[in-house]
Amino acid sequence: MSADIAVGATGILRAFNEAGVIGSADIQVAQRLSALSDETAADEVLLAAALAVRAVRTGSICVALARAAELDPDPDHPLPWPSADAMVEALRASTLVVGGRFGPLRPLALVDSDDGPLVYLRKYFEQEQVIRGILDARASSRPPVDVARAQAAIDEVFTAAGDDDPGPEYDRQRAAAALAVTSWTTVLVGGPGTGKTHTVARILGVLERVLGGDVRIGMCAPTGRAAAQLQASINDYDGLAATPVAHTVHALLGIWRDGTVRHGPNNRLPYDVVVVDETSMLSVTAMSLLLAAVRDDTRLILVGDPHQLVSVEAGAVLTDLTDRSLRSTSPLPVGFAELAGLPEADFSDEETVQLGDGVITLRWGYRFGTVIGDVAEAVNRGDADEVMRLIDADGGEHIELVDPEDLDDVHTDTVAWLSALRTAGEAGDAPAAVKALGQYRVLCAHRDGRYGVGWWSRTIDRWRESGRRTGPWPVGEPLLVTTTDKRAGIYNGDTGVVVRADGGVRVAFDKYGDIVTLHPSQLADAIPAAAMTIHRSQGSQFDVVTVVLPPAESALLTRELLYTAITRARKRVRIVGTADWLRAAVDRRVARASGLRGEVSEWTSPG
């Protein structure tokens, strides 16, 4: 018997369990909820509950009943799916939804939405409602603005910023500052290299001038590494009277290991401005806690790329918010048109609608070549034909597709990179070694299997030159830190390289321009990083990347994964895979069910 077959599961649950649609844990939770509600639940209710548990386990916060049958692993031999209407009827009569004789325990929420009926575990529905309610309340009013003072502040900050880099004729970064001045909530989105954190620093400079020099600024990001990157970007800007300190979201809120939270609706954060970077990585749970802790009169700036891979936990909040803003009926903030110079703007009709909801997109890319940017845009649109045309037209200068069995060029580039790392490492030249570290990387979707990090790491080991592995961490070895050590200033996700030093070896890290070296024993946990997962690469950039696609049937092969991978490259991308695999990636979006993109109404009881 399979280890994931639930003991005692019968009937429809057994069939769906054996087909792999739901796991044993999903069934056990559904059965436990039924027992706690003192109900012998109908099969339709138990199946809906198990699917709701599965949804959270796989990253969604609810299950859309009208689309549940799309989970069927073999459409040619479909499972006995109840109709959505039958499941809704059973749920409306169930104590799991409406409560029972033992009190108001209602572990499931049945919700009508623009996408049809949705079923949630109640905890996640309530968190979604917190997000919806707070953002709607914040959007219902606008902060008072002295337009003349704001215009002077924007002119001062952006004139002082200089014009070293060529940019678009219309400056959306200035428009973003205008939106932040005139809105309680600003959602600043854009791809890698569009200047999001550069813009954030200048927005803070503008707000400091508008609100006064004693303005209190809180900054955070989902991970320690992302917070450190945000801090480095702000440190590079000298236009602030005082440089704020970036924290993790957990540290900013004061979330302890026992689950207690220092800052919440009864003890709000003491800041006039709160910046949240890498918002795409925030789960619905984290976002609901954060919003509940922000004062009503605090300007909130959410920053991220909605096209990147989303939170490993349930929810895709940034994507939901940008999609939701397309339905906005809110007018533009008072004063925004004048401050942003809208008569000269290049916003599309859809983008203008989003501006009313506080969402602005930076589009001008400063980081990588035009071809890579064009391919990334085509991937986002789901235009596989255009992706293939661009790759063919480029001829491999910036981006190419190579067969998984034709790895000669991959071998050549990888060995040359490892050789450069080893040469610099043996010479004890830490700056040269960390510079070489950013020149190349192999990125995989999977950890295991033929197309995963494990297989590629072993293959790369075989490709090394003669002195390839003489110890646990040979000189020139690229390393990925997997445990944060704040005392050492090293965060989960940091990468370093082993170099010769003081008769032994050290691991060198580039900490935003400063070279830091640590003895290997000072690293709590680290793994080889010649090959790494695409998830782990988020927030990093390399001159050249080799992206290893899994076959088309892989559930991980999605548009967001491909976009994230190719936008890690500054200069050149090599995609290892077939045309069919590439097309499958472009065609398949991450499917995370949510009600946050539209309006919803909960079913409570027949009465």
Side-chain angles (χ1 to χ4, degrees):
M1 178 181 292
S2 169
D4 201 37
I5 298 298
V7 176
T10 60
I12 192 172
L13 292 183
R14 180 79 178 193
F16 280 74
N17 188 197
E18 290 179 340
V21 173
I22 51 178
S24 59
D26 305 330
I27 294 174
Q28 289 163 6
V29 172
Q31 291 173 331
R32 183 60 177 161
L33 292 178
S34 177
L36 289 173
S37 298
D38 190 36
E39 173 184 81
T40 302
D43 282 350
E44 293 88 350
V45 173
L46 286 174
L47 178 59
L51 289 172
V53 177
R54 177 197 181 277
V56 172
R57 178 168 57 79
T58 56
S60 294
I61 59 172
C62 61
V63 57
L65 295 182
R67 301 185 60 184
E70 295 177 9
L71 300 174
D72 203 315
D74 186 4
D76 293 331
H77 300 88
L79 290 164
W81 289 94
S83 69
D85 289 343
M87 295 178 79
V88 167
E89 183 178 356
L91 286 163
R92 285 180 171 179
S94 172
T95 58
L96 274 70
V97 172
V98 300
R101 60 191 178 94
F102 290 135
L105 177 66
R106 297 184 294 138
L108 298 183
L110 176 63
V111 172
D112 287 329
S113 76
D114 296 338
D115 297 321
L118 308 175
V119 177
Y120 295 75
L121 294 179
R122 181 161 297 280
K123 166 187 173 181
Y124 294 97
F125 177 66
E126 291 176 349
Q127 290 174 351
E128 183 183 279
Q129 288 295 81
V130 167
I131 295 171
R132 183 194 312 277
I134 291 175
L135 290 179
D136 285 350
R138 293 177 63 84
S140 66
S141 66
R142 306 290 186 181
V145 177
D146 182 330
V147 174
R149 182 174 182 174
Q151 187 67 71
I154 292 173
D155 289 343
E156 178 185 350
V157 167
F158 282 88
T159 300
D163 191 25
D164 296 333
D165 294 319
E169 183 176 345
Y170 179 77
D171 191 348
R172 290 191 177 207
Q173 295 184 0
R174 292 176 67 108
L179 192 60
V181 167
T182 57
S183 305
W184 292 121
T185 305
T186 301
V187 182
L188 177 64
V189 298
T194 53
K196 295 187 295 296
T197 52
H198 173 94
T199 304
V200 166
R202 283 142 188 83
I203 287 174
L204 295 180
V206 170
L207 290 176
E208 190 177 72
R209 288 160 175 77
V210 170
L211 300 178
D214 59 350
V215 61
R216 293 163 297 179
I217 299 171
M219 304 193 305
C220 64
T223 67
R225 181 165 178 260
Q229 289 175 324
L230 173 61
Q231 185 72 65
S233 181
I234 300 301
N235 288 347
D236 284 342
Y237 176 58
D238 60 5
L240 291 171
T243 302
V245 176
H247 305 273
T248 64
V249 173
H250 276 61
L252 190 78
L253 295 177
I255 300 177
W256 301 96
R257 290 185 178 181
D258 62 1
T260 57
V261 183
R262 179 182 180 187
H263 291 289
N266 298 319
N267 182 26
R268 303 291 183 93
L269 290 165
Y271 302 112
D272 303 301
V273 181
V274 170
V275 175
V276 187
D277 198 14
E278 298 289 357
T279 308
S280 64
M281 298 169 64
L282 276 187
S283 67
V284 67
T285 301
M287 180 63 88
S288 64
L289 290 172
L290 179 65
L291 289 179
V294 174
R295 295 195 329 247
D296 297 342
D297 61 348
T298 294
R299 281 175 171 82
L300 176 65
I301 303 169
L302 304 175
V303 186
D305 184 350
H307 301 296
Q308 285 196 36
L309 291 167
V310 293
S311 167
V312 295
E313 299 178 53
V317 179
L318 185 63
T319 302
D320 289 344
L321 295 184
T322 54
D323 288 349
R324 185 174 185 251
S325 66
L326 292 169
R327 307 182 184 190
S328 173
T329 57
S330 300
L332 293 176
V334 175
F336 171 75
E338 181 178 348
L339 293 173
L342 281 193
E344 305 300 326
D346 62 350
F347 295 109
S348 68
D349 290 343
E350 281 191 347
E351 289 175 322
T352 302
V353 168
Q354 289 182 301
L355 289 170
D357 218 24
V359 177
I360 186 168
T361 302
L362 302 181
R363 297 200 176 279
W364 183 269
Y366 295 89
R367 185 174 296 170
F368 43 64
T370 303
V371 174
I372 297 175
D374 289 345
V375 172
E377 285 292 323
V379 169
N380 282 341
R381 297 194 304 271
D383 190 342
D385 289 339
E386 179 65 3
V387 169
M388 298 304 299
R389 188 194 70 77
L390 288 168
I391 292 175
D392 290 342
D394 185 65
E397 182 180 357
H398 300 98
I399 187 165
E400 63 177 333
L401 178 67
V402 301
D403 188 273
E405 303 304 321
D406 183 12
L407 300 179
D408 289 348
D409 289 342
V410 179
H411 173 276
T412 299
D413 284 356
T414 306
V415 169
W417 174 59
L418 293 171
S419 178
L421 286 172
R422 187 162 181 248
T423 298
E426 288 288 4
D429 190 342
V434 296
K435 181 179 180 180
L437 189 63
Q439 292 174 353
Y440 181 78
R441 203 59 52 93
V442 175
L443 305 179
C444 306
H446 291 266
R447 295 182 185 277
D448 304 309
R450 168 65 176 79
Y451 306 96
V453 169
W455 187 93
W456 274 88
S457 294
R458 293 189 295 273
T459 298
I460 290 169
D461 273 346
R462 292 195 299 270
W463 288 350
R464 291 173 190 263
E465 295 177 302
S466 56
R468 53 180 188 257
R469 270 199 183 276
T470 57
W473 303 132
V475 172
E477 181 77 33
L479 296 179
L480 172 70
V481 176
T482 57
T483 301
T484 293
D485 185 344
K486 292 183 179 179
R487 290 174 297 180
I490 299 299
Y491 296 93
N492 183 358
D494 281 349
T495 55
V497 57
V498 181
V499 300
R500 190 74 67 190
D502 302 325
V505 297
R506 307 277 286 183
V507 182
F509 296 88
D510 182 356
K511 303 302 290 184
Y512 314 107
D514 295 326
I515 303 300
V516 175
T517 62
L518 300 174
H519 191 274
S521 64
Q522 292 178 268
L523 301 180
D525 199 4
I527 58 176
M532 62 195 297
T533 64
I534 296 169
H535 276 83
R536 284 279 191 182
S537 74
Q538 289 192 95
S540 299
Q541 287 283 302
F542 314 99
D543 290 344
V544 179
V545 297
T546 291
V547 179
V548 181
L549 295 183
E553 60 268 20
S554 170
L556 294 181
L557 188 63
T558 63
R559 186 181 305 174
E560 291 80 1
L561 180 109
L562 178 62
Y563 170 84
T564 301
I566 64 177
T567 55
R568 297 312 91 200
R570 299 186 188 96
K571 299 178 180 178
R572 186 161 59 88
V573 180
R574 177 187 294 110
I575 302 172
V576 178
T578 70
D580 288 343
W581 299 358
L582 181 58
R583 286 182 175 276
V586 176
D587 290 340
R588 184 187 300 149
R589 292 195 66 181
V590 171
R592 290 202 165 182
S594 164
L596 193 56
R597 292 184 290 270
E599 299 304 316
V600 299
S601 59
E602 182 188 5
W603 170 267
T604 52
S605 71

